[in-house]
Amino acid sequence: MMPLKLRGRTAGLPPRAHFALGTVLVFVVAGVLGPLLVPFDAAATSPPDRLLPPGTRLSDGAVAWLGTNQVGQDILAAVLAGMRTSLTVALVTVVVAGSVGLLMGLLAGYFGGWADGVISRLGDIQLAFPSLLLAIMLAGVLGPSMTNVIIALAVTRWVIFARVVRGSALAVRDREFVDSARVMGASHGRILIHYILPSCLPPLLVAATVQIGLTMVAEASLSFLGLGVPPSQASWGSTIAQGRDYLASAWWIAAAPGAALALVVVSIGILGDLLRDASDPMTEL
Amino acid sequence: MTAFVGRRLAQALLQIWGAITIVFVALRVLPGDPAELILGSQATSEQLAGLRAQLGLDDPLPVQYLHHLQGLLRLDFGQSWRQGMSALDACLERLGPTLVLSAWAMVFTVVLGFLAGSYAARHANSVADRLISVSSLVGQALPPFWIGIMLSLIFARGLQILPSTADGTMAGLLLPAFTLALPFVGWLGRLVRTGVLEEMNQDYVRTARAKGMSDGVVFYIHVLRNTLVPVVTMLGLLMGNFIANGVIVEVVFAWPGIGRLLVDSITFRDYAVVEAVLTVITVCYITLNLLVDVLYGYLDPRIQLENA
Amino acid sequence: MTPDVTPLLEVDDLAVEFDTPKGPLRAVRGVSFQVDEGETLAIVGESGSGKSVTAQALLGLVPPRARVTGGRVAIEGRDVTGLSDREWQQLRGERIAMIFQDPLSALNPSLTVGYQIAEMFRRHRGLGRAESRRLATELMVQVGIPDAARRLDDHPHRFSGGMRQRVMIAIALALDPRLLIADEPTTALDVTVQAQILRLLRQRQRADRLGMILISHDLGVVARAADRVAVMYAGRIAEVGTVAQVYERPAHPYTLGLMRAVPAVRDGGGPLVAIDGQPPDPTAPPAGCSFHPRCPFARDRCRESEPEPREVAPGRASACHFAEEVIAGVHTGAR
Amino acid sequence: MSTPALAESRTGPPLLELVDLVTAYRLRGGLGRAGAEVRAVAGVSLDVRAGETVGLVGESGCGKSTIARTIVGLVRPSSGQVLFEGRDLATLPAKELRGLRQDIQLVFQDPYASLNPRMTVANLIKEAWRIHPGIVPRDRWDEEVRSLLDRVGLRPEHAGRYPHQFSGGQRQRISIARALAVRPRLIVCDEAVSALDVSVRAQILNLLEELRRDLGVAYLFISHDLGVVHHICDRVAVMYLGKIVEIGAKESVYLRPSHPYTRALLSAAPSLDDWRDGGRQEIVLSGDVPSPLNPPSGCRFRTRCRLAQDRCRDEEPVLLDRGTAHPVACHFPETDPS
Amino acid sequence: APGGAGAGSGSAKDRPLSAAFNQPINDLDPHGASAVDEASLLANRQIYDTLVTRTGEELAPKLARSWTQPDDKTWEFTLRDDVTFHDGSKLTSADVKASLERLAKSDGPQKPLWTAIDTVEAPGPHTIRITTTDPLGTLPTNLTLAFILPAAQLGRADFFRKPIGSGPFAVESFTPSSQLLLKPVKNYWGGAATLPGLRLPYIPETSTRMTSLQNGEVDVTWIIPPDELKRLAGVDGVRIESKPGVNYFLAWFNCGRKPFSDARVRRALYHALDIKGIVASLYGDAATVMDAPIPAAVFGHASQQPYAYDPELAKRELAEAGYSGGIRTSMMWFKDTGPLATELAQSLISAWAKVGVVVEQQQIEKAAWIKRLTALDWDIELQVNTVTTGDADYTLGRLYTSTANRMGYANKELDGILAQARSTADQEKRKSLYAQACEIIWRDAVGVFPAALSSTYGLRSPVKGFSPAANSQPEFRTVSTAQ
Ligand SMILES: Nc1ncnc2c1ncn2[C@@H]1O[C@H](COP(=O)(O)OP(=O)(O)OP(=O)(O)O)[C@@H](O)[C@H]1O
Ligand SMILES: Nc1ncnc2c1ncn2[C@@H]1O[C@H](COP(=O)(O)OP(=O)(O)OP(=O)(O)O)[C@@H](O)[C@H]1O
Ligand SMILES: [Mg+2]
Ligand SMILES: [Mg+2]
C-alpha cells in the first residue's frame, strides 16, 4: 500500500523529502558498493600511519581522503564498512523488535482479556526501566558483540512497537467494518490479517522509521560505554566513540562517521515525518 | 479518585516487583562471577567457593530469590563488596546528584521546549518553524556523548568560561544539564507544536472565539492547558530518559550520579549495588509516573470518569 | 416586517471561499437575508450546503483556510465587514452569540462549567471572581440546571447532553446579546430532550425579544420552532419565506422534493418520493442552476443560466427560474 | 400498505424470537475485582416473522443497538434466548451456527465506518462468498457482483472502486449489497438511515421497501426517528431503558399510544405539519434518561412520568394488553386517543 | 590567564590541590576488596602508614624504625613511639597486630601475600614479632602494602566511610568512585604537609580530564594518554613529568594448549613482531620497549637479548614446528586494561597475520576476561600487569610457578629458583636468582612483553615539590603550590 502511495506522490513531494530520500539512497548504495571499492580490514593496522589528517598519502602510497585513525586505518574505508554494521544493527533490531511488537500488539489489542493483561503488564514492567539502562544492563552482562547489541536494543524496543500496534488494533477492533466481517462469520485469523493488520501497518511503519534512527544513536551510546559492537567490526558508533579522545587533536576520526550518522538519522526522521503525514488520513479511515 | 490512585498504586507495586525479578534473573543467569572479581585472578578455588558461600551465590536460584525478596522488605540489598558499604547507601548517595541534574535538565527542556514548540505552532510553516523542526531532528541525531564532549571542548577548553566537571556551582551544572536536555528540547518542542495545532482545531476554541475572548486568552487559558495534558504524561517518560542518558553525561562531565555507579557495578558484578540502583531508579521512575498520572487526572478531568 | 425599522441583521450577497488542494471551494455564494428583533429565522439544508459557514461568517469566525470573498453584513445597522480583531471581540458575546451542535466538544473539557460561564463577565465586563460566579449561578438557574450552585465547579463531561446544551445557552445569553445563532442546537440530542431545549430557546427568545437564527437540517424542527425559513442548497439560498408560505407552497423544486422525501409520523404511509442523485461536488458545481441535475422540472434554461434569487411574493424570495410555476403546483400539485 | 404476502406471513411461525433477553456489559473494574454491570437490555421478548418489518424505537442508550448486536452474535446474552426459526443460537453447534449466521445480517448506522476502507466494492461483496463457500460458485462471482450492484442501484463500474470514493448514500447501498450477498432472511438495520440526508434517506428507505417486496427479507428496523419507523414498519416496539414499554401494530401504536412515554415521544417528534397547530399542547418530559447502571425501582419510567404513583415505584409493570388493543407495560395506560 | 578561569573556585590560597588519577577510588578499606587497586593504594598512602616503605630499589623504615630476623621464620620490628592517629590516640604495637591479623584473615586480593603468616605478637608497646609457617624473604616488601589502622575503632560499622589513619592527610569527605577530599594533619610525625588540602576527583572521561588540567580545574593529573603528551607539552601553564613505571603490557601464550605448547611457535610469534616500531608509533615517549618479563623499574629486573624482528625467520620456525599452513587462534583482552590496549592488540594481530597466524580479536568485558583467564580458557591474552610491590616476587614468584599455573607453563627449574628467591632474605642473592628466572621466562617466550608504561604526570606550573612515582602513587606531603 505504502510504496504505491509514495510512487504516486513523488512528483508533489516537498524539497526536504527529495533531500532525505536522496541521502538515504546514497548511503545505502555506498554501504553496499563502498566496501567493494574501498575494502576495509579491521585486522590490518599500520602504526606508522596513525592519526594522519585528511588527504595525506600513506606509507603504502594510497591517499587517505578522510584521514586515518589511531591505528593507521583509512577512515573512509572504516566509515563505509561501519555503515553496513550500523545499518544492519538498526535494521535487524527494528525488524526483530517490530515483528515481536507486531505480534504482541495484535494479540493484546485484538483479543484483549488476559492476553492483553499479560502483555501490557509485561510492557509496563519493562517500561519501568529507562530503556538505555536496560540496554546497558543487558549489553553489559552479555558482553560486547553485534548480536548482543541487537538483542539488548531489540529487547528495549519491542514494547514501543507493541504499544503502537495495540493502540491501532484496539481502535480498529470495534470499528463497524470489523463487526460486519464478524457478523458475516469471518474467522479470527481472517479478521486479524485482512482487517486489523492493514490498519496497524502504517503507524508501525512510522514508528519503525523513527526507531531506525534512534537505534543507530543508541548503538553509538553503547559503544561509548564500551558495551557496543567490538572493535573487530567497524561501526559508526564505535568509530565515533573511539574518536572522542581525539576530538581536539584528530577531529576527523569522529567527524566523518558523526556527520554520516547525523545526516542519515535526520533524513530518516524527515521521512518518518512525511510518512506520518501521509498515513494520517489512512489511519483516519 | 482514591480508587484510581489505589489502583495505580497496586499497578506500580506490580511493576516494581516485576522489575526486581527481571533484574534478579538477568544478573544470575548471565555469565560472570563476582567472587572472582573480588579475589582477583590469583585466588584459589577454595577461596572462591568460600566467598561464594559467604555471598550466598551457591544457593539454588529460588532460595536466593526468596532471600533477596526478604531482604528487600527490610530495605536490605546486601553489602557492596566493592565499596564495603550497604548497597542501598552506596546508591542513595549517588541518587541526589542524579536527581539534581535531571531536574535541571527537565527545567531546560520544558522551558526551551515550550518556547520553541508554541512559537513554531503559532508560526506554523514559517522559516523559523522549519528551522526549529530541523534542529530538533539534528539534536536527536547526534550521540549525546558527542554533544557533551563538543560542548566541553568549546566552553571549557576553548573559551574557558565554564567548568568541565561538577564543582558544586551552578556553572558546573550548566554544561551537563544542557547536554542532557538538548535532544529532548526538540522532541518536546515538536510535541508541543503538534499539540497546539491539534487543539487549535478543536470546537471549544471556536466557542471561546465566539464568546469574544481575545487571542491571548484563547491561547493561554484554553489551548495551552489542554496541550499540557499529553505533554505532562510525557514528562514521566522524559525523567526516565534523563536518568538513563544521565549515564553518559555523568561519564563525560564526571558527575557523581547513579548511572555511572550502575555501569561500574555491572562491570564489576557488584550485584547488590546493581539491584539497589535499578530498584531505586525503578521506584523513582514509577513514583514519578504515578504523580504524573495524578496530575494528569487533575489537568484532564475526563480521565477520572473513565477510571472511577 | 416594517421597512423603516433597521433589521437586527442584514446579510447581503455574502460569499465565502475555501482554499483546497482541488482549487477554490465556494461554500457560500451570494447569500442574502435579514433577521428582525424577536424573530426566528431558520436555515435548513442538507449536509454541506453551507449553513455553518454562513453562521460563522456572521461572527467573523470563518475557519483558517476560508475567506469572506464578498458581501456585506450589518448588525444593528452597523457594517461589520472589515472590523479589527478587537472590535470583533467586543461584538461577539455582547451583541451576537452562538451555540453549537455538539455541546461536549464545544465546551473546554479542562475548565469547569462555572468558569466557562463566569469568563464572560470577567473578560467582557471586568467583574471580580465572586461576582462573576454569582451571576453564573443565576444564569444556570435561569436555563434550568438543577442544583446550580453545586454544579458550578463540575467539568462538562459530568453533565448530560441536554444539560451541556443548557450550559452553552447560558454562556450565549450571559451578556444579553441581541442576536443568537444556534447551529443545529438539538441534532445531537434525543427527541424528548430536543423538545426541552427548543422550548427553552423559544422562551428565552420571546422573553428577551432576541433575534435568532436557527440552523437545522430537520424540517420538522424548523416547522415547530421558526417564524421564517431559508432553504439552502449548494451554498445558495434556494428560497426564503415564512414557515407557512414555504411549507404550504414551496417556491423551489428542491424544497418541494425535501417535503416529499420526509416520512412523517402522521402521514398516510404512501411511498416516499426521493430526490434522485447526490448533492453536487462543491469544488465543481454544475453550470446553470446547481440543482438542475436532480430537478425533475429542469429545462434548458436551467442548465445554462444560474437563477438569481428574486422576490416572488411579498417577503418571499426564490432562486428558481420557474418559481411561480412551482408555487402554483403546475407540475405536481401541492401536498 | 399491507400486501397479501404480508398478511400471510404474520400468521406463520416467527423467524426470529427473543425470549426474555438480557444482555449486560461489564465495566472495567479495578485490579482483581470485577466492575459494575450495565444491564443494557433487561428482559426483552420480541419476534419477527418472515417478510415482516418490525420497528424498534427509543432514545439514545436504551439498548437498541445492544439487541441488534446480541442477535447477530457480536455480544453474548447474559440470559434469555435468541431463537432463529425455533433454534436457540446459544446452544447450536459451531458448524450449524456458522450456517445460520448468514441468514441474519446487520446494516450499520455509519456508512463511513462500516466498510473496510482497504477493499474494493467487489472484494467487499466477494468476501462473503470467501467466508461462506458454496453460496455462489467462484466462476459466477463477477456476474453476481454486477447483479447485486444493479439490485441496490449502483453501476457495474463501481465494482472496482474503494468506499471512500462514494457518498454516504452510495455507501449505504454497498452495505446493503454486501448484506444481500449471503442471501439473508433477516436484516437487522441499526439506524441504517439516521446518518443520511433527507433526500438520500428516502432513496434508501425505498430500496429497503423494494427488497422486501422482491426478496421477502424481514427487517428488524432500529431507529430513533418515529417518522421513518412509521413509514416502513408493520409493527413497532418502543423501548425505554432496556425494556419494551409498548409494542403492537403500527397503526394501533401510533394512533392509540397508551404508555405515557410513547405519548411523550410522539408528541416530541417534530413533524412537517407542526407549524399548522402552533399552539398544540406538547408533552415535554422533564429530566434525563436515568443511568442503566442503577435504574429506578418498579417502573423504569416513573422518574419522568407525570402519572407516576406509589405503585409504580414498588411494582414493575409487565407487558400486557390492558384493553389498549396492544401490549403495554404500564399500570395506568391511557386509552383515549392523544 | 588559563589559571582556572572556569573552575569557579578561583586560585585562593586555601583552595585544595586537585589531583586526578585515571582510576576511581572505590573504597578506603586498605584490607578490603580494592586493596591492590592503584587508586585505592594512592588514597591509602595519604591516609595511612605502613611499617616499611620503598624508596627506589631499597626498602626503608617508616612506622618501623628497624627490623631483624632472629630466625628463618621470625621477624621482629621496632616501632616509632611518636606516631599518633588523626584522632590523637597513640599508635602502638596492638594496632599493628590487629591490622596484620585483619589482613591475614581478609578475603581480599592481598590474601596470597599473607597466607604464610603464622602468628603476630606484640611483646612490647613498640615491638612486633611475626612468625611465618615457611621462610618468607619478601615479608618486608609485602609490608609496604600493609596499612595500619587504629585497633580500637576497627569494629565500627561505618569506620571506612570516614576512616582514621596515621598518615599525612586525614579524610574530610569521601564519595566512592567520585571524589576524596583530604586535609593535612598538623602534627604528622614525618613533618606536616604544606597544602591547604588535597582533592582526589575521579574524571572518567579522558578528554574531560585533559580539559580540566588545561583550564586549571585540576592541578595534577596522571596517566596522560600517549597521544596527548605532545599536545599538552605545548600548552601554556602545563608541564609534563614522567618516570619509568611498574606497569607493563604482557601477552601470554597459553602454553598448555596447542600450538603454544611448542616453544618454537611462541618464539616465532615473537620474531614476527616489530615491537620497537609498534611501541614507538603507538606510545612515543609514554612507554619503553621491554627487555625482560618485568619492567626495568622493578627489583629483580635483568636485561635480556631482544628477539629480532624477522618475519622470514618466524615463518621458518613455524614451518619447522609443523605449522607451515599457518595458525588460527585468538587473543582476548579487556578494553580498559591499559592505554591504547585495543590499538596495541590490533597492531600485534595485524603483524601476526603477515606470517600466516590469523588471530581472532576478542575484546571482552573484564568480568568475562578474569573468568576465562583463571579457567585457562584462552589462546593468547593481553593485559597490563602491575608489579604492585615493585618486587619481582610479586609478579614472577606469584604467577610463573607450576602451582600457580596461570598460563599453562610448567618448569621445575624455574619453580625451584622462584621458591628460593622468596624464602631468602638476602637481597643480593634474590637479585641474582630473579635474573635467572627472567632469563628462563624470556628464553621460553612464555609471552610477549611489548612495553613498560611510563608514569606520565601533567602538572600546572604553580605545583612545586612534586616527584612522579613509578607506581602511580605519588606522595603529596611534600607538594606545595607556590604562586
Ligand atoms: N475547514 C474546511 N475546509 C474545507 N472545506 C470546508 C471546511 N469546512 C466546511 N467546508 C466545506 O464548506 C461547505 C459548507 O460547509 P458547512 O459546514 O457550512 O455545511 P453545513 O451546511 O453546516 O453542513 P452540516 O449539516 O453537515 O453541518 C461544504 O462543502 C464543506 O465541504
Ligand atoms: N461496550 C459497552 N460497554 C459498556 N456499556 C455499554 C457498551 N455498549 C453500550 N453500553 C451501554 O449500554 C446501554 C445501551 O447501549 P446501546 O448502544 O444498545 O443503546 P442504543 O439504544 O443503541 O443507543 P443509540 O441510540 O445511542 O445508538 C447504554 O447505556 C450504553 O452506555
Ligand atoms: Mg454544519
Ligand atoms: Mg445504537
Side-chain angles (χ1 to χ4, degrees), chain E residues 280-339:
Chain E
S281 46
L282 282 183
Y283 296 98
D285 294 339
T288 47
V289 177
M290 285 171 76
D291 57 357
I294 43 176
V298 171
F299 175 85
H301 167 270
S303 292
Q304 308 296 321
Q305 174 70 38
Y307 283 83
Y309 171 49
D310 189 347
E312 290 313 312
L313 174 63
K315 278 188 205 160
R316 272 203 310 281
E317 284 190 352
L318 281 174
E320 258 171 51
Y323 294 100
S324 46
I327 293 174
R328 286 197 155 271
T329 180
S330 67
M331 178 157 89
M332 69 164 192
W333 71 94
F334 64 92
K335 183 165 159 274
D336 297 321
T337 186

Side-chain angles (χ1 to χ4, degrees), chain E residues 68-361:
Chain E
T68 57
Q69 200 179 12
D71 67 63
D72 259 7
K73 300 184 181 174
T74 311
W75 296 77
E76 247 184 53
F77 295 83
T78 312
L79 305 180
R80 299 184 69 95
D81 56 4
D82 56 350
V83 181
T84 56
F85 286 110
H86 300 152
D87 62 353
S89 58
K90 281 267 181 217
L91 184 148
T92 66
S93 55
D95 299 309
V96 177
K97 177 174 152 62
S99 299
L100 292 182
E101 282 174 347
R102 182 167 185 267
L103 197 48
K105 273 211 315 278
S106 79
D107 264 328
Q110 278 201 30
K111 189 167 181 135
L113 299 181
W114 309 107
T115 41
I117 300 267
D118 190 19
T119 59
V120 181
E121 293 161 69
H126 300 296
T127 318
I128 203 87
R129 186 184 302 134
I130 303 172
T131 57
T132 58
T133 47
D134 293 305
L136 190 63
T138 55
L139 184 74
T141 312
N142 292 353
L143 282 174
T144 60
L145 296 180
F147 296 96
I148 306 305
L149 307 171
Q153 310 217 29
L154 272 180
R156 245 174 56 207
D158 59 346
F159 175 73
F160 291 109
R161 298 310 320 279
K162 199 176 173 184
I164 283 168
S166 60
F169 289 94
V171 178
E172 201 157 277
S173 74
F174 174 54
T175 315
S177 312
S178 177
Q179 172 162 296
L180 173 62
L181 205 57
L182 300 171
K183 58 174 186 288
V185 175
K186 291 269 150 37
N187 52 350
Y188 182 62
W189 59 268
T194 55
L195 289 172
L198 176 61
R199 191 169 79 96
L200 300 174
Y202 172 54
I203 303 175
E205 185 63 15
T206 310
S207 111
T208 310
R209 191 156 55 87
M210 295 304 113
T211 299
S212 327
L213 176 68
Q214 255 175 276
N215 69 7
E217 282 168 67
V218 303
D219 303 288
V220 185
T221 184
W222 69 108
I223 303 293
I224 309 290
D227 285 314
E228 289 277 318
L229 272 179
K230 212 174 274 145
R231 196 184 60 78
L232 270 185
V235 170
D236 237 17
V238 171
R239 71 172 191 278
I240 302 288
E241 290 185 13
S242 72
K243 181 147 194 193
V246 291
N247 293 335
Y248 65 105
F249 272 107
L250 64 77
W252 277 338
F253 300 112
N254 188 339
C255 303
R257 254 191 202 183
K258 278 201 161 184
F260 301 115
S261 43
D262 188 335
R264 285 174 298 182
V265 174
R266 307 199 295 256
R267 279 193 285 263
L269 258 58
Y270 221 142
H271 281 300
L273 299 173
D274 175 15
I275 299 234
K276 246 196 204 133
I278 293 175
V279 171
S281 46
L282 282 183
Y283 296 98
D285 294 339
T288 47
V289 177
M290 285 171 76
D291 57 357
I294 43 176
V298 171
F299 175 85
H301 167 270
S303 292
Q304 308 296 321
Q305 174 70 38
Y307 283 83
Y309 171 49
D310 189 347
E312 290 313 312
L313 174 63
K315 278 188 205 160
R316 272 203 310 281
E317 284 190 352
L318 281 174
E320 258 171 51
Y323 294 100
S324 46
I327 293 174
R328 286 197 155 271
T329 180
S330 67
M331 178 157 89
M332 69 164 192
W333 71 94
F334 64 92
K335 183 165 159 274
D336 297 321
T337 186
L340 299 177
T342 302
E343 287 77 3
L344 176 62
Q346 287 176 327
S347 304
L348 298 180
I349 288 170
S350 173
W352 281 328
K354 298 202 176 95
V355 297
V357 177
V358 179
V359 184
E360 187 198 333
Q361 302 186 22

